[in-house]
Amino acid sequence: MIRFILVVLILFLYLILGIPVLLVEWIISRFHPHFRDISCLRMVQAAFKLILWVTGADITYIGREHVPKDQAVLYIVNHNSYFDILLTYSQCPGLTGYVAKAEMLKAPLLRDWMKRLYCLFLDRTDIRAGMQTILTGIEYIKKGISVCIFPEGTRSKDGTMQPFREGSMKMASKTGCPIIPIAISGSAEIWENHLPRIKPCKVTVEYGTPIYPKELSKEEQKFLGQYTQQQIQKMLDRHQQQ
């Protein structure tokens, strides 16, 4: 329980101490918006890395060199744990907005940091709002801001991937940006599989070869979500064999 208490304490202190930081960052944004963006990114990454260290997880990252440093990408990730966000965001080389459920807007302070980090809030009950979220993501990518999506729509309870939602792929098909498939194994063992305790465990995060939609066949482009899911499944299968 000590690890769990420490993680909660870090999150609480970060959000509380972050109140004046948000104000300072707002002032900075009036003069140097890009500097504000990068400073917010690095601060949150530092906090996430600290939390991951506290969990005691033995994390192996594979293939990070596949992520382009000179352009925005669409990260597509399988989803087993809340810690998947920390595992991936802590490694983003540049500005990256995550697609989150609209319910997160009800969380004070947390929502403010998420907005600063270009997160997109998806209302899954409103088709029109969902389309607007996708359009905003497309604009982000055009501006050089990467986007990360968990296209299953929710966390897997047993580690088996649910079908990817094809609509989530439009950000790549409409912009031509590369898709970076990410396969995560073992993250649910950090916390979800034995609530409320946090236990040290082995976690593997693998970045696959970039997928360029325009280089695929018409059939693969039509079912881009399915194609990307297959690439992630291949990586997950390799993890099981190691």
Side-chain angles (χ1 to χ4, degrees):
M1 286 297 292
I2 294 178
R3 294 180 190 274
F4 175 76
I5 293 172
L6 287 174
V7 167
V8 172
L9 183 61
I10 292 171
L11 287 172
F12 177 77
L13 290 176
Y14 187 90
L15 291 176
I16 296 301
L17 296 176
I19 295 176
V21 175
L22 284 170
L23 176 59
V24 172
E25 293 287 358
W26 179 82
I27 295 173
I28 293 175
S29 70
R30 313 308 295 176
F31 305 96
H32 301 287
H34 183 68
F35 178 80
R36 187 284 305 269
D37 288 344
I38 296 300
S39 63
C40 284
L41 169 69
R42 300 311 179 202
M43 280 190 289
V44 173
Q45 286 183 322
F48 282 0
K49 289 178 181 179
L50 175 60
I51 290 172
L52 290 171
W53 178 78
V54 169
T55 68
D58 179 8
I59 307 167
T60 299
Y61 286 100
I62 303 171
R64 281 181 293 184
E65 67 277 6
H66 290 150
V67 182
K69 303 296 190 298
D70 58 351
Q71 68 178 123
V73 304
L74 178 66
Y75 296 102
I76 298 295
V77 195
N78 67 303
H79 199 17
N80 299 315
S81 168
Y82 289 115
F83 281 91
D84 295 337
I85 299 168
L86 283 69
L87 289 163
T88 52
Y89 192 79
S90 62
Q91 304 302 311
C92 292
L95 298 177
T96 304
Y98 276 54
V99 176
K101 55 186 179 181
E103 289 81 353
M104 296 302 296
L105 287 168
K106 299 177 182 179
L109 296 182
L110 178 58
R111 70 181 173 219
D112 298 302
W113 274 105
M114 293 177 72
K115 289 179 179 178
R116 290 286 177 89
L117 298 169
Y118 294 97
C119 287
L120 299 166
F121 299 91
L122 178 64
D123 184 348
R124 289 172 288 188
T125 65
D126 188 331
I127 296 177
R128 182 174 295 180
M131 285 302 301
Q132 184 57 53
T133 298
I134 292 174
L135 291 174
T136 301
I138 290 173
E139 289 305 310
Y140 279 1
I141 291 173
K142 289 180 177 179
K143 293 178 181 179
I145 302 170
S146 296
V147 175
C148 181
I149 299 179
F150 298 98
E152 294 167 88
T154 186
R155 289 180 295 114
S156 171
K157 304 300 182 182
D158 60 3
T160 302
M161 280 193 294
Q162 302 301 308
F164 282 11
R165 301 183 181 186
E166 292 292 338
S168 60
M169 302 294 158
K170 291 186 181 298
M171 295 185 200
S173 60
K174 295 296 185 181
T175 62
C177 78
I179 295 172
I180 304 297
I182 303 178
I184 302 179
S185 298
S187 58
E189 284 298 322
I190 298 176
W191 187 51
E192 280 83 359
N193 286 354
H194 37 73
L195 297 172
R197 298 181 62 190
I198 288 178
K199 292 184 177 181
C201 64
K202 290 185 178 296
V203 178
T204 301
V205 182
E206 182 172 358
Y207 295 73
T209 303
I211 299 170
Y212 293 89
K214 293 181 180 180
E215 296 180 0
L216 302 178
S217 67
K218 290 185 178 180
E219 185 69 13
E220 290 169 337
Q221 290 183 44
K222 184 178 179 180
F223 299 102
L224 188 53
Q226 182 181 85
Y227 177 84
T228 304
Q229 184 169 12
Q230 291 172 350
Q231 307 313 306
I232 292 177
Q233 187 61 58
K234 290 177 183 178
M235 291 187 280
L236 292 174
D237 291 342
R238 287 200 300 270
H239 298 174
Q240 294 299 318
Q241 297 169 5
Q242 294 175 353

